[in-house]
Amino acid sequence: MRRTSARTRKALFTPFIAITSATLLLTACGSGADSADSSAGGTAQAAANSDKIPTTDLVSGIQKDEAAAQLLPSGVTSLTVAVSVGGTPPGTTYLDDGKTLTGQDVDFTNAVAKVLGIKLKTEQAGFEAILPALDSGKYDFGASNFGVTDERRKTIDFVTYINDGQGFATREDSKLSKVTDLTQLCGLNIATGAGTTFEATLEENKHVCTDAGKKAYKVQTYSESGAIWSSVQQGRSDVVMSTINGLRYAVAHQTGVKFLNEYHRLDVGFAFKKGTKLAPAFQAAVNKLLADGTYARILKKWGTTGSAITKSEISPAELKN
């Protein structure tokens, strides 16, 4: 999840605790992961997740909505979407065939495409590479749990579809119980994903420690979630910062880690180049899914009902709670 302004004193990451050797091979979701496009990587990833991934098909039966489709620019029948493969649900990962992508973002992307009656070409990319590539036209949009921030809105348009957020996790034996202020992290090593809002926020707010006469925390960035959690397990890192949904999933499905607390909520949206003409159609499609119940069913499938929104918005202001 994500660049943010210096005023946003919070951070996000993607969860996942690396306990087994297979788990250590997985890449991070929504936290700046490199794409896992080799069949070996996909197979290992799928093997580690195969007993946990829900497979209910909620998308194939969705019918085209003519009112929403008419909002598309003339002649648009297919779009290219960029995704970052995360390694663990609810983020984008592989089914047990090691090839088929699945996850909450995948379901919402495919559902919107069905409502609009368009075909999708999916390309994998590193999380940190997707937003810069939108302006060049390499991709039509990105779908990888991108948090909506005021800094990003300067160059990116968003269409929101969930509300996720930023949180902290650590080892079970840590004395930390809740992080309400970054000064609590002074002197610690903080692991997070490269190119995310967590990294940006941490770097921009290091001064809170020196301002308080304390030793600054150290930001450790990784492009793979396996490396993040290996660092925590081996004691090289003290705390992880990532998405609320990802962290809660890690706590529910892995051992040796505990969720500390939510730190800051952010709207999450499909990302487009600034000034896109696709936004109204995507907004209408998300609202259609909300109205017909498909939206709620997707959230229930991935265990993220706490991330529900009541309506889709186009590039809303960053949440400051």
Side-chain angles (χ1 to χ4, degrees):
M1 246 193 172
R2 315 173 178 176
R3 298 278 310 170
T4 188
S5 64
R7 291 176 296 172
T8 306
R9 302 178 181 178
K10 328 273 183 180
L12 268 143
F13 100 178
T14 314
F16 176 106
I17 184 154
I19 302 299
T20 66
S21 58
T23 305
L24 291 173
L25 297 174
L26 305 188
T27 54
C29 150
S31 63
D34 293 330
S35 65
D37 54 4
S38 71
S39 87
T43 300
Q45 192 169 356
N49 287 329
S50 61
D51 62 334
K52 311 164 191 172
I53 301 177
T55 57
T56 305
D57 178 10
L58 301 174
V59 174
S60 63
I62 296 174
Q63 300 298 309
K64 179 179 179 179
D65 183 80
E66 293 296 339
Q70 287 177 8
L71 296 175
L72 287 168
S74 178
V76 172
T77 58
S78 64
L79 295 172
T80 299
V81 56
V83 301
S84 175
V85 178
T88 179
T92 302
T93 186
Y94 293 99
L95 289 177
D96 57 9
D97 61 6
K99 298 178 181 179
T100 305
L101 293 177
T102 189
Q104 179 173 260
D105 295 318
V106 173
D107 275 354
F108 276 120
T109 302
N110 290 336
V112 164
K114 293 285 283 186
V115 171
L116 296 177
I118 58 175
K119 294 181 179 179
L120 289 178
K121 177 183 179 183
T122 301
E123 294 192 9
Q124 296 179 35
F127 181 87
E128 66 273 24
I130 295 175
L131 296 185
L134 294 175
D135 190 57
S136 69
K138 184 176 182 179
Y139 313 117
D140 294 305
F141 69 104
S144 287
N145 205 50
F146 290 108
V148 180
T149 68
D150 289 340
E151 183 66 26
R152 283 178 170 169
R153 290 193 306 130
K154 295 176 182 178
T155 56
I156 299 293
D157 281 341
F158 294 93
V159 174
T160 61
Y161 58 95
I162 60 170
N163 175 275
D164 197 347
Q166 308 168 340
F168 295 91
T170 188
R171 292 185 302 275
E172 285 184 339
D173 61 359
S174 172
K175 294 181 180 179
L176 283 171
S177 59
K178 189 174 184 180
V179 177
T180 58
D181 191 285
L182 292 183
T183 56
Q184 293 174 256
L185 305 178
C186 295
L188 301 181
N189 294 325
I190 317 302
T192 194
T196 62
T197 53
F198 332 130
E199 178 189 5
T201 299
L202 287 169
E203 291 291 352
E204 292 166 357
N205 289 281
K206 271 186 175 180
H207 64 87
V208 300
C209 292
T210 54
D211 290 350
K214 300 180 179 181
K215 181 180 178 181
Y217 51 73
K218 182 178 180 181
V219 183
Q220 300 169 318
T221 59
Y222 300 90
S223 61
E224 296 184 354
S225 61
I228 290 175
W229 287 105
S230 175
S231 179
V232 172
Q233 287 291 83
Q234 295 173 16
R236 299 191 306 274
S237 301
D238 302 296
V239 178
V240 181
M241 303 180 74
S242 185
T243 64
I244 293 168
N245 285 338
L247 290 171
R248 290 191 185 283
Y249 187 92
V251 170
H253 293 85
Q254 305 293 336
T255 59
V257 64
K258 64 181 179 181
F259 179 72
L260 293 177
N261 59 287
E262 293 187 11
Y263 193 58
H264 178 55
R265 280 278 173 176
L266 281 177
D267 287 318
V268 170
F270 298 111
F272 305 83
K273 68 182 294 184
K274 194 69 176 177
T276 182
K277 296 184 182 302
L278 295 170
F282 272 68
Q283 180 188 32
V286 174
N287 285 332
K288 172 65 175 177
L289 296 171
L290 278 159
D292 68 16
T294 303
Y295 180 90
R297 288 190 288 273
I298 291 175
L299 291 186
K300 184 177 180 180
K301 171 182 175 179
W302 295 104
T304 55
T305 54
S307 285
I309 60 174
T310 58
K311 66 177 180 179
S312 177
E313 297 183 88
I314 297 174
S315 297
E318 179 181 343
L319 296 177
K320 300 297 184 180
N321 60 310

